[in-house]
Amino acid sequence: MATKDNKEAAGREFPLERVRNIGIMAHIDAGKTTLTERILYYCGVNYKIGEVHEGNATMDWMEQEQERGITITSAATTCKWGNHKINIIDTPGHVDFTAEVERSLRVLDGAVAVFCAVGKVQPQTETVWRQAQTYKVPIVALVNKMDRTGADFDGVVNDIRHKLGATAIPLQIPIGAEGDFQGLIDVIANKAIYFDGDEFGAKMRTEDVPEDMADAREIAFLYIVECLAEVDEEIMELFLEDKMPDTELIKKALRSATIDCSIVPVACASAFKNKGVQPLLDIVVELLPSPLDTCEIQGMDPTSEEPMTRTVGDNEPFAALVFKIMNDPYVGKLTYFRVYSGTASRGMTTYNPRTRKRERLGRLLQMHANSREERDAIYSGDICAAVGLKNVTTGDTICDEGKQIVLESINFPDPVISIAVEPKTSADRDKLYKALGFLSDEDPTFNVKSDEETGQTIISGMGELHLEIILDRLVREFKVESNTGQPQVAYRESIDSAAEANTKFVRQSGGRGQYGHVIITLEPRDRGHGVTVESKVVGGNIPKEYLKPTEQGIREAAVSGVLAGYALTDFHVDIIDGSFHAVDSSEMAFKIAGSMAFKEAARKAGVSILEPIMEVKVTTPDDHMGDIIGDITSRRGAIAEVDADAGDSFTKITANVPLSELFGYATAMRSLSRGRANYSMEPSHFDKVPKAIQEKIVEKE
């Protein structure tokens, strides 16, 4: 581990080992934002607790969030707990805003996953859990809402083990549940913690473990030791000798196993009733990693693309990752970034390897949701926002020009739903395009493009709610009124079989003509393959300088499709032969020849339309299960799994349903279940549409 002498700048308030970058993540309505509000109160950042249901939560600062009672955009804040600094990002739970979770997890060192004590492991929890595993983010689980009727702490722990495949280790046991939830037992310290009253600022008191819970505490303690013995040699030796490790050794092994993602410590709370928040903060600072625990940051050399590493520390060369762009009405474009190494200072010149341009850091701001605090310098391991960066986008690296590095970027899913949008008046045209440009800069899963044939502006996103929020923001933030068309599905095209094309492009018009001749083979590939083009030309029949334009022509033809104008994907092209003319051949001629050859081969191969299939997870009361399944089937859905163990009298249905059949599904589902069912959906894969529907799509286009 790095030492303080050579790693930390003199102006740093908290040493690196006492910094925590954490995210709060969960299924929608599990209590993430409520928990964050309590953390800010107990850490002394807020002197009044905001409530989601009252629309005054600090972290849900957007009007749309306050009205709907949901988190839409991830909000960052900083607080202090004891002698530690905690940077917190509160992430959305709705699947339409999955990009917000994705980019937050990329720059975090640890996370608190919040579970509803009644709902247990819900569909979106599984999604964010997978995202956390992708980035190898250590997790502490919190079973929240222990005061709710039907709260089941053991049920949630078992769900985490079986449905998420994690080694969940309870460090706390609730004292009572539902209306009798009074406090918790700290298993390792062997103490009971009670919370007097439900009001905020409720006093904590520590007592001995009640006699009737001594056995449960003993069983939980032995389970902790058993699990740690599997990952820690020192504890294993003691365990085999029937000796008990001391508290210090257990905590050291717990921290190591948590950081390795070998185990998931579990705590319990009722954030709304202000119970269990302070002990959770103690677990966060004790077990989750500091920036020093991920001492070497992986990246690559922007020139050679060779792997390289950068060490954490204030005195190292500067390297930071941009993970969010936001337009602030008062200061303009805000660029959020995480400093991995070095120090950022106001007015400093940085370098963007993607654009190969210098960028000057203007004002540096420590963010508290949508309020801000000016800073002169930001140190290694910190998260902040800057004003003044112009040509940066989400996923860019900004670094020291003399010591360049490109950090691992962030991958986002492709949009699956589109609508046409146009300004209500011609005077609003420029304002609309400017506003859409701002919004697409902010959100990597929101795309804007012009349809060349119709001249319409098409906006695409991750779901109906996503686009609804975008249109609402156009009116409220940018004061632009617009008209919209019906939602359209982002179809794709694919070929059915292999084919070959031998195509010449010849034009003679008096002077120098145009000549390009290519022979290609086209083969289908598995779903998700994308587009690959390879040259197998030998003997110089096509000069090297014409191969790239040929490939470009093929790729451009694929983007515009062959059958109905949708992008053609999942194929491989081999350029196998051709010929050229010493005078008439040109890059343009071969580009056109490549495009013509591709279209000819695709028509021979046969083209099918693919539609996006969504994985839909519905949690419904048992007595409405038949109606829900019948409705899914009527929407061309295929039932993948029916899980009857989703809580008291509830069943979870997992199905694959075409997106085109899901417009307005929320209303239909609420009607069928009398408002008691809930659902989530996320893009799963693309599949062929039935022949009858394909004919209608082609006819329509």
Side-chain angles (χ1 to χ4, degrees):
M1 187 174 285
T3 62
K4 183 166 181 173
D5 296 338
N6 64 352
K7 290 293 166 195
E8 297 180 3
R12 173 184 280 280
E13 185 182 359
F14 289 87
L16 269 165
E17 65 187 51
R18 295 211 299 264
V19 173
R20 301 288 181 270
N21 291 310
I22 67 163
I24 313 288
M25 63 180 202
H27 183 89
I28 191 167
D29 204 31
K32 299 178 302 299
T33 303
T34 301
L35 173 65
T36 310
E37 292 296 318
R38 269 57 183 177
I39 289 173
L40 294 180
Y41 175 79
Y42 289 116
C43 290
V45 175
N46 287 354
Y47 298 99
K48 177 179 179 296
I49 289 183
E51 299 293 3
V52 174
H53 60 275
E54 292 174 6
N56 60 1
T58 305
M59 302 300 274
D60 284 352
W61 55 270
M62 288 173 66
E63 290 178 36
Q64 294 89 341
E65 294 177 313
Q66 293 167 356
E67 287 174 359
R68 290 170 168 81
I70 62 171
T71 301
I72 292 168
T73 180
S74 52
T77 192
T78 297
C79 59
K80 300 168 188 175
W81 182 247
N83 59 356
H84 286 73
K85 175 182 179 179
I86 306 176
N87 296 315
I88 301 173
I89 296 182
D90 175 28
T91 64
H94 198 287
V95 72
D96 279 18
F97 309 107
T98 188
E100 288 291 326
V101 185
E102 191 83 27
R103 58 174 158 201
S104 300
L105 287 169
R106 171 63 183 84
V107 296
L108 293 171
D109 297 324
V112 175
V114 184
F115 296 83
C116 173
V118 181
K120 301 175 187 169
V121 173
Q122 294 166 288
Q124 183 62 8
T125 317
E126 297 177 44
T127 303
V128 296
W129 195 275
R130 283 200 307 272
Q131 289 173 307
Q133 287 182 317
T134 300
Y135 293 113
K136 297 183 173 60
V137 176
I139 295 172
V140 167
L142 176 74
V143 181
N144 192 26
K145 302 192 177 186
M146 283 302 304
D147 60 305
R148 285 266 308 273
T149 303
D152 180 3
F153 179 79
D154 291 337
V156 180
V157 173
N158 286 330
D159 246 16
I160 294 171
R161 288 171 184 156
H162 297 128
K163 292 183 180 175
L164 302 178
T167 306
I169 302 181
L171 302 187
Q172 299 171 351
I173 305 171
I175 301 173
E178 303 180 341
D180 295 326
F181 179 57
Q182 306 163 46
L184 52 92
I185 290 170
D186 183 330
V187 175
I188 294 173
N190 197 16
K191 290 291 179 186
I193 300 170
Y194 292 93
F195 300 88
D196 295 329
D198 293 341
E199 72 283 352
F200 63 81
K203 296 286 184 289
M204 280 197 321
R205 56 188 170 85
T206 304
E207 295 185 6
D208 290 336
V209 174
E211 284 184 21
D212 61 339
M213 295 192 72
D215 288 347
R217 181 265 158 191
E218 184 68 21
I219 291 167
F221 180 75
L222 288 172
Y223 183 73
I224 291 172
V225 175
E226 282 175 27
C227 290
L228 291 178
E230 292 179 15
V231 294
D232 186 279
E233 288 185 15
E234 206 172 338
I235 292 180
M236 170 64 86
E237 287 175 14
L238 291 169
F239 186 73
L240 293 173
E241 294 170 9
D242 282 335
K243 293 178 183 175
M244 276 296 150
D246 59 29
T247 303
E248 191 177 331
L249 182 58
I250 287 174
K251 286 189 174 180
K252 181 184 168 190
L254 262 175
R255 187 166 197 273
S256 176
T258 304
I259 291 169
D260 287 347
C261 301
S262 306
I263 63 157
V264 175
V266 185
C268 62
S270 168
F272 182 58
K273 295 289 179 69
N274 311 294
K275 295 176 179 178
V277 179
Q278 301 99 311
L280 172 69
L281 286 167
D282 289 336
I283 290 174
V284 164
V285 299
E286 283 176 6
L287 301 185
L288 288 180
S290 74
L292 284 176
D293 291 303
T294 50
C295 201
E296 288 199 333
I297 303 107
Q298 303 301 316
M300 69 174 186
D301 186 301
T303 307
S304 66
E305 298 189 357
E306 290 291 318
M308 62 187 298
T309 57
R310 185 63 51 85
T311 309
V312 172
D314 298 337
N315 301 321
E316 297 292 323
F318 175 71
L321 184 74
V322 174
F323 69 95
K324 183 177 169 80
I325 306 288
M326 203 178 90
N327 289 291
D328 188 287
Y330 302 106
V331 298
K333 185 176 178 180
L334 273 178
T335 305
Y336 284 75
F337 59 90
R338 155 82 188 263
V339 181
Y340 281 94
S341 66
T343 303
S345 55
R346 186 163 50 184
M348 177 174 128
T349 299
T350 65
Y351 182 76
N352 183 343
R354 180 183 64 83
T355 60
R356 298 181 183 177
K357 289 183 179 176
R358 296 186 182 95
E359 292 277 357
R360 187 174 176 276
L361 293 174
R363 294 159 62 197
L364 293 176
L365 306 171
Q366 187 78 64
M367 300 303 294
H368 296 288
N370 67 329
S371 63
R372 57 197 76 79
E373 173 191 337
E374 297 268 355
R375 294 279 298 273
D376 290 327
I378 299 291
Y379 300 102
S380 176
D382 276 349
I383 292 170
C384 85
V387 181
L389 296 172
K390 293 182 175 63
N391 299 309
V392 295
T393 187
T394 301
D396 277 358
T397 300
I398 50 174
C399 61
D400 184 328
E401 188 174 4
K403 299 277 187 179
Q404 294 177 25
I405 187 172
V406 176
L407 302 174
E408 183 190 349
S409 191
I410 311 169
N411 296 316
F412 297 105
D414 293 328
V416 294
I417 182 171
S418 303
I419 58 173
V421 62
E422 62 183 29
K424 277 201 171 171
T425 66
S426 55
D428 281 342
R429 187 173 300 277
D430 288 344
K431 280 171 69 179
L432 174 67
Y433 296 146
K434 190 175 179 183
L436 290 174
F438 276 135
L439 292 171
S440 66
D441 282 347
E442 282 188 13
D443 186 348
T445 58
F446 172 65
N447 289 352
V448 183
K449 66 175 183 179
S450 289
D451 188 307
E452 291 179 10
E453 290 182 13
T454 64
Q456 287 181 311
T457 299
I458 308 294
I459 60 173
S460 308
M462 297 306 296
E464 288 180 277
L465 179 61
H466 188 193
L467 295 182
E468 186 186 319
I469 297 293
I470 292 285
L471 295 170
D472 196 21
R473 290 184 66 190
L474 283 175
V475 176
R476 297 198 195 197
E477 292 176 35
F478 299 96
K479 308 294 186 283
V480 181
E481 296 279 348
S482 60
N483 296 320
T484 57
Q486 289 297 309
Q488 300 293 318
V489 175
Y491 292 107
R492 290 183 186 170
E493 297 179 11
S494 110
I495 56 167
D496 298 332
S497 59
E500 184 176 306
N502 184 338
T503 306
K504 281 184 183 177
F505 171 65
V506 183
R507 288 285 182 276
Q508 202 65 47
S509 54
R512 180 179 170 179
Q514 296 281 3
Y515 182 94
H517 173 213
V518 294
I519 303 172
I520 66 168
T521 57
L522 174 65
E523 295 175 354
R525 289 287 189 265
D526 293 337
R527 297 283 171 262
H529 174 83
V531 176
T532 50
V533 182
E534 189 178 343
S535 169
K536 293 193 174 174
V537 178
V538 292
N541 289 350
I542 300 178
K544 277 187 178 178
E545 63 265 27
Y546 297 145
L547 288 172
K548 190 134 190 168
T550 305
E551 180 179 339
Q552 198 177 349
I554 291 167
R555 289 183 179 275
E556 286 183 9
V559 169
S560 57
V562 174
L563 190 62
Y566 299 111
L568 207 150
T569 188
D570 299 337
F571 64 83
H572 176 78
V573 172
D574 282 324
I575 306 169
I576 55 173
D577 206 354
S579 63
F580 74 104
H581 189 281
V583 177
D584 291 350
S585 286
S586 66
E587 289 187 1
M588 180 56 71
F590 272 92
K591 184 176 176 181
I592 294 170
S595 175
M596 289 168 61
F598 173 76
K599 288 181 178 178
E600 182 188 332
R603 289 191 187 98
K604 286 181 184 175
V607 179
S608 296
I609 291 178
L610 305 177
E611 62 182 341
I613 306 295
M614 309 298 282
E615 184 180 61
V616 180
K617 295 182 178 180
V618 184
T619 304
T620 175
D622 293 345
D623 45 353
H624 298 295
M625 181 180 72
D627 293 334
I628 296 287
I629 288 176
D631 182 63
I632 288 172
T633 307
S634 73
R635 295 171 184 270
R636 297 195 284 126
I639 305 297
E641 185 183 358
V642 177
D643 179 7
D645 187 28
D648 294 338
S649 303
F650 274 79
T651 297
K652 187 170 85 173
I653 301 159
T654 304
N656 292 316
V657 188
L659 175 63
S660 59
E661 303 288 343
L662 287 169
F663 295 134
Y665 181 63
T667 307
M669 181 203 60
R670 280 195 291 266
S671 174
L672 288 169
S673 66
R674 298 180 185 175
R676 295 179 64 201
N678 64 68
Y679 84 107
S680 73
M681 65 175 177
E682 60 180 297
S684 173
H685 61 281
F686 278 80
D687 212 344
K688 287 184 181 181
V689 301
K691 197 168 184 181
I693 294 175
Q694 176 163 315
E695 286 170 3
K696 285 181 185 175
I697 293 170
V698 174
E699 195 178 306
K700 186 179 172 185
E701 293 299 324

